[in-house]
Amino acid sequence: MAKKTTTKKTSTNSGSSSGGAKKDILMRVRILYLLFILVGFGVGARLVWVQMFSDSVAHNANVLKDGIIRKVVIPAHRGAILTRNGEPLAMSSLRYQPTFDFKSDGFNDASAEEFERNVDSLSRMLARHFSEEDARNEGYKYISAAEYKDIFHKELSRGVERAKKIFPRPVTLDEWEMMKADFPILNNNMGLVYGIERVDKRIHPMGEVAFQIIGSNKETVDEKGKKRNGSGIERLYNNYLSGSDGRAKEQYIAHGFWSRINDPYNKAPEDGCDVITTIDGNLQRAATEILREELETHKGSFGVAMVMEVETGDLLCVVNLSSGTTRGTNFTEKVNNHAFMTRQCPGSTFKLAAAMVLIEKCGFNLDTSVSIPQKVKTVGSRQVTDSHTITYENGKAIGNVSLRDAFAHSSNIYFAEAVYENFKDNPKQYWEYLNELHFNNTIGLEAYDEASSYIPEPMGKEWRATHGSLSRSLPYLGYGYIVELPTVHTLTFFNGVANGGRMVAPRLVDHIERDGKVIKEMPTKVIMEKMCSDRTIDMLHECLSAAAAPARTKRRFADLPFNIGCKTGTAEINGDFVSIATLDNLRMGQNIADFNYNLGSVVCMMPLEKPKYTVMVAMLKESMSYSDTHFGIDVAGPAANDIMLYLYNNDPELHPTVSKAPAPHTPENIKGGDRSAVSTVSRALAAHVSDKSSGATWCSTTTDVGGNVTIKSADTDNTTIPDVRNMGLVDALFLLEKRGLKVTHEGAGRIVEQSIEPGSSIVDCDGSIHLKLDV
């Protein structure tokens, strides 16, 4: 009984122990599940954090992504700026920048001796090709042969970087093809990878010609320190020229090399449009060289030459040459646009405007006179001087000078007194009419930074502060002082007179085109439909004609094969102007008014009977001992003369046309001789040709009154005298001397007589023959 009881107790304890273990296991499982759930939640939360909120992770992901795939801009090809004839003034040239792979098999397989030999030769050739002069012109740092060699050795020894651009600038396709053929290492493709970068390089095929008009699409800084996004046509028409850039995605391949991949993001670039200007390329080049020669002769500070087409206002050439740092040398277009931006007193060219006002508002005619007994006279309270006393042909003073003679002689006294006496009681009337003629405004070139013309209001605040009393300063307004104009304004005013009183704005761009199709035209703009009456225009033309007389222009234009109208001007200046010449800037720092600077100019219209062109040349210079000439006719006249001759020689419309003959002309005779040559000439010139020569080598010809030519054989054996009549002397000499005859001759032209009859035996003559020639 005791044993049984013990057994049951053991069984009970065993069951209790088994149940506790089970609970313990279940608890542990639950805890483990809970831990898994918590870890899962943690991982999920971390994933959400990484994806949604972590800046560092997002940054690292983007860095990794950008290291494999990148977006690039594909630049559009910039449009060209062309002359009216299609010559490029500015254009973009595709250039290429090859890349060396210094870990390529070509380098690795080369022996040290071979590499040294090739690298030494290549370095010298690169230094010679990318020369110091090329570096200055292209704007990069020159690299010597030794430096090239060091670069090659350094890059070859690197263990990480593989790709390297060696050339100091991109090269043209022609340069690249030449290098691949002739340069060591390049010519066997050792170390080259054809992942060549394309670069759009802006070039100017005509050099500095018209540079101020072309301008630049790069940021510039003016003389006042103001930044501008380019200048000239490049800036004004940038939206048309620049086109639209494309875009693409590229994938990383190896160090330094990327390959484009297909992607909806990709977009092809749209190339820019071409801007067609009014500039005549040949005229611009010719005028530049003509003006440069005169500036060098007279040691000028700057010069301007312009040609405007009368009816349209098209500027066919605009030359702006400024001296280099040593005044009078190295003239360049890169300093300033003096034609548009430099405002100075015009001097006597302004007398055309004064004459217009006097005729229109004061009833003057060509014979209205002013008393000028000598070359100095007090007008108002100012003493006015003429450069010479106006005289009759016998040398005596004229006394009472007409408007025509005053204009021809450029009399300061006449215009000072005429303006003062007629407007001293109401000077504002004179000023207002000049305002109507836009002499206090711009003329349509504001976008090119045209300076506004300026005339102070008589007795206004600025007048009183600067010019003093009316009696002292109003006479100045009669002959081009107090007034300040850019030269293009003077040209435009004269062009309006040449155009019958219709003043049109200067025009520099004709149209814009893409792929040969015009997409926008730039019409002529009219500033004033009628500047004055036709009566006034006719009188002004007579004045301009009188001023162009040889006696008045020192015979500068005496040899021109057409009539012109012109006016010269010479004005003392005391204002600043843009210059890089050391001496000019020194003068301006010392007060330029203390030195004798003058603007000498001339404006011409040609031909006078029906003007087609208006030409203006101006030069600003200081009178010095080595060049004291400063009058407009002396410094600007020769250049204007040569420019007008160029226009005349190159414009068929200025020459009389040859009328077509009612019936074709035929020659009265055609020389005989070699049959093939005679046949060719006869068929080209004769009315009809009858060839009866039967394939002979030599022939003679006859021509009837209708211009019909008959060709007959002139072949004979060597014992017979040939018929050389109607032949040229050269052929006749050949035939006769070949037969042993001694030939004498007289006259010129074709042979009309021979002393021995054709067909005679050579044996029967004395061995000589005489020929007579006549036209």
Side-chain angles (χ1 to χ4, degrees):
M1 291 295 292
K3 288 182 179 178
K4 290 181 179 178
T5 306
T6 303
T7 303
K8 285 181 179 179
K9 286 181 179 178
T10 303
S11 175
T12 303
N13 291 336
S14 175
S16 175
S17 175
S18 174
K22 184 177 181 181
K23 289 180 180 180
D24 186 54
I25 292 171
L26 288 173
M27 179 61 68
R28 291 181 181 182
V29 169
R30 289 189 183 100
I31 291 171
L32 186 61
Y33 272 117
L34 181 61
L35 288 173
F36 281 143
I37 291 170
L38 291 174
V39 169
F41 274 116
V43 170
R46 181 62 179 170
L47 287 174
V48 171
W49 172 259
V50 168
Q51 293 291 328
M52 303 294 292
F53 304 108
S54 175
D55 293 337
S56 61
V57 171
H59 171 74
N60 292 333
N62 288 333
V63 169
L64 180 62
K65 181 181 177 183
D66 290 342
I68 300 173
I69 304 295
R70 71 177 182 182
K71 295 178 180 179
V72 295
V73 174
I74 307 172
H77 188 67
R78 190 171 179 83
I81 300 174
L82 307 175
T83 67
R84 68 190 323 191
N85 302 7
E87 285 185 273
L89 291 167
M91 61 183 293
S92 291
S93 172
L94 288 179
R95 297 197 178 188
Y96 304 88
Q97 182 61 276
T99 306
F100 280 87
D101 183 358
F102 281 90
K103 295 300 180 183
S104 67
D105 293 339
F107 280 115
N108 293 332
D109 295 343
S111 66
E113 181 181 351
E114 179 188 6
F115 177 76
E116 283 299 323
R117 182 175 64 254
N118 286 329
V119 162
D120 191 61
S121 298
L122 177 61
S123 298
R124 289 198 306 272
M125 296 178 78
L126 288 175
R128 186 164 57 247
H129 184 81
F130 299 107
S131 64
E132 293 183 68
E133 182 181 0
D134 184 73
R136 287 193 299 270
N137 293 336
E138 296 286 342
Y140 63 86
K141 183 181 178 182
Y142 172 69
I143 302 174
S144 67
E147 289 172 320
Y148 276 115
K149 193 172 181 179
D150 288 343
I151 291 171
F152 276 95
H153 281 289
K154 180 179 178 181
E155 294 301 326
L156 192 66
S157 65
R158 286 182 182 271
V160 180
E161 290 192 19
R162 296 168 58 87
K164 179 70 176 180
K165 295 173 183 176
I166 298 298
F167 297 163
R169 63 165 174 81
V171 296
T172 66
L173 182 59
D174 288 342
E175 286 178 300
W176 177 228
E177 293 296 333
M178 179 273 293
M179 289 177 177
K180 286 196 299 181
D182 300 336
F183 281 32
I185 294 181
L186 279 66
N187 59 7
N188 59 11
N189 198 33
M190 180 192 296
L192 271 178
V193 178
Y194 287 91
I196 301 176
E197 179 183 344
R198 192 190 84 167
V199 180
D200 221 12
K201 173 74 175 178
R202 200 66 168 168
I203 61 173
H204 299 89
M206 293 169 64
E208 285 189 12
V209 171
F211 184 83
Q212 287 295 332
I213 299 303
I214 299 166
S216 170
N217 63 324
K218 297 179 181 178
E219 186 178 88
T220 58
V221 180
D222 62 22
E223 64 274 9
K224 296 180 180 179
K226 182 180 179 182
K227 291 184 178 181
R228 303 204 61 178
N229 187 24
S231 61
I233 292 174
E234 292 276 22
R235 173 175 65 89
L236 294 177
Y237 296 90
N238 183 60
N239 290 339
Y240 291 101
L241 289 165
S242 60
S244 176
D245 291 343
R247 61 178 185 263
K249 285 186 178 180
E250 294 181 342
Q251 183 174 352
Y252 179 83
I253 297 176
H255 180 77
F257 304 104
W258 297 77
S259 176
R260 189 170 299 174
I261 60 176
N262 290 325
D263 193 275
Y265 173 82
N266 294 355
K267 175 188 173 185
E270 183 180 38
D271 291 343
C273 301
D274 294 335
V275 175
I276 314 302
T277 70
T278 62
I279 298 294
D280 183 308
N282 291 328
L283 174 61
Q284 182 79 28
R285 276 190 291 263
T288 299
E289 293 311 310
I290 290 168
L291 182 62
R292 188 190 308 277
E293 183 177 344
E294 287 302 312
L295 283 166
E296 290 172 349
T297 298
H298 297 289
K299 307 297 182 185
S301 296
F302 72 76
V304 171
M306 294 176 285
V307 176
M308 181 182 280
E309 199 169 57
V310 169
E311 187 174 347
T312 63
D314 287 358
L315 287 168
L316 306 186
C317 80
V318 182
V319 183
N320 288 278
L321 288 178
S322 298
S323 173
T325 53
T326 301
R327 192 174 66 188
T329 63
N330 301 321
F331 287 94
T332 174
E333 272 259 357
K334 292 188 175 181
V335 175
N336 190 46
N337 190 341
H338 292 289
F340 297 174
M341 300 170 65
T342 300
R343 193 174 73 181
Q344 296 288 353
C345 293
S348 292
T349 55
F350 193 74
K351 290 170 183 172
L352 185 69
M356 180 182 288
V357 177
L358 292 170
I359 296 171
E360 279 286 291
K361 298 298 181 182
C362 304
F364 274 48
N365 58 45
L366 296 175
D367 297 321
T368 304
S369 63
V370 169
S371 175
I372 310 178
Q374 52 192 1
K375 66 178 186 177
V376 179
K377 186 176 182 179
T378 299
V379 179
S381 59
R382 175 172 293 281
Q383 190 177 69
V384 182
T385 304
D386 283 341
S387 61
H388 60 278
T389 301
I390 303 174
T391 61
Y392 291 107
E393 291 183 2
N394 60 13
K396 293 182 179 180
I398 291 177
N400 291 324
V401 178
S402 68
L403 174 60
R404 181 194 289 105
D405 288 337
F407 194 90
H409 286 266
S410 197
S411 171
N412 295 336
I413 296 173
Y414 183 99
F415 287 94
E417 181 158 327
V419 168
Y420 180 73
E421 291 298 330
N422 283 275
F423 294 100
K424 63 183 178 181
D425 295 329
N426 188 8
K428 195 170 182 180
Q429 184 184 16
Y430 183 62
W431 178 76
E432 287 174 346
Y433 191 71
L434 293 176
N435 281 350
E436 291 177 18
L437 296 173
H438 284 253
F439 282 116
N440 237 337
N441 208 334
T442 53
I443 49 167
L445 296 172
E446 300 85 355
Y448 294 89
D449 301 320
E450 174 202 355
S452 178
S453 299
Y454 169 73
I455 304 176
E457 182 179 355
M459 301 315 295
K461 183 177 180 181
E462 292 182 51
W463 179 290
R464 293 178 187 276
T466 308
H467 306 295
S469 68
L470 189 71
S471 64
R472 180 168 177 77
S473 297
L474 181 58
Y476 263 163
L477 276 179
Y479 58 100
Y481 283 87
I482 296 180
V483 185
E484 292 181 8
L485 309 174
T487 50
V488 71
H489 198 144
T490 302
L491 174 72
T492 303
F493 177 76
F494 271 75
N495 194 76
V497 173
N499 199 26
R502 189 172 189 257
M503 187 193 295
V504 294
R507 195 170 71 125
L508 277 167
V509 173
D510 185 77
H511 65 275
I512 298 168
E513 64 179 40
R514 172 178 277 126
D515 299 327
K517 296 182 179 179
V518 177
I519 63 172
K520 186 173 182 179
E521 293 184 345
M522 307 299 171
T524 297
K525 295 181 179 179
V526 180
I527 301 174
M528 293 184 71
E529 195 64 51
K530 201 66 176 173
M531 299 162 65
C532 57
S533 67
D534 291 338
R535 168 182 172 274
T536 300
I537 290 293
D538 291 341
M539 291 186 188
L540 295 178
H541 278 222
E542 285 198 46
C543 289
L544 290 164
S545 176
R552 303 274 62 80
T553 58
K554 299 183 179 180
R555 303 192 63 81
R556 293 289 188 193
F557 310 127
D559 295 331
L560 291 176
F562 48 86
N563 296 322
I564 67 167
C566 79
K567 186 70 192 79
T568 61
T570 307
E572 295 180 6
I573 70 132
N574 52 33
D576 292 350
F577 57 93
V578 176
S579 177
I580 61 172
T582 304
L583 192 54
D584 286 336
N585 285 293
L586 179 65
R587 296 284 192 257
M588 284 185 263
Q590 294 172 327
N591 187 4
I592 199 171
D594 295 335
F595 300 91
N596 189 20
Y597 274 86
N598 290 272
L599 181 71
S601 60
V602 61
V603 192
C604 307
M605 57 181 68
M606 60 167 286
L608 180 63
E609 294 75 18
K610 188 178 181 181
K612 184 175 182 180
Y613 303 112
T614 309
V615 179
M616 181 170 188
V617 178
M619 183 189 302
L620 189 142
K621 67 182 292 289
E622 181 186 6
S623 293
M624 303 287 285
S625 58
Y626 52 77
S627 179
D628 60 355
T629 299
H630 59 272
F631 289 106
I633 192 59
D634 296 317
V635 298
N641 180 81
D642 291 348
I643 291 172
M644 287 190 287
L645 274 176
Y646 178 91
L647 289 167
Y648 178 78
N649 292 333
N650 289 275
D651 187 347
E653 292 184 5
L654 298 181
H655 300 266
T657 57
V658 178
S659 58
K660 189 175 180 180
H665 291 279
T666 56
E668 294 180 1
N669 57 73
I670 293 177
K671 291 180 181 179
D674 178 80
R675 190 194 64 81
S676 62
V678 171
S679 178
T680 299
V681 172
S682 298
R683 296 185 188 283
L685 301 178
H688 176 73
V689 178
S690 176
D691 191 345
K692 299 180 179 180
S693 61
S694 301
T697 302
W698 299 94
C699 67
S700 61
T701 64
T702 57
T703 306
D704 62 20
V705 292
N708 301 305
V709 174
T710 301
I711 301 175
K712 296 180 180 180
S713 172
D715 284 350
T716 62
D717 58 43
N718 290 333
T719 64
T720 306
I721 299 295
D723 186 358
V724 296
R725 289 172 297 185
N726 221 31
M727 286 188 186
L729 182 60
V730 173
D731 289 338
L733 287 174
F734 176 81
L735 287 172
L736 296 171
E737 291 179 348
K738 184 180 179 182
R739 287 165 171 75
L741 297 171
K742 183 179 180 181
V743 182
T744 58
H745 59 88
E746 61 176 301
R750 61 190 178 90
I751 298 168
V752 293
E753 291 182 17
Q754 59 185 80
S755 62
I756 304 176
E757 284 294 319
S760 302
S761 173
I762 293 177
V763 178
D764 296 335
C765 68
D766 61 1
S768 64
I769 186 171
H770 183 74
L771 305 178
K772 185 177 180 181
L773 293 84
D774 198 358
V775 293

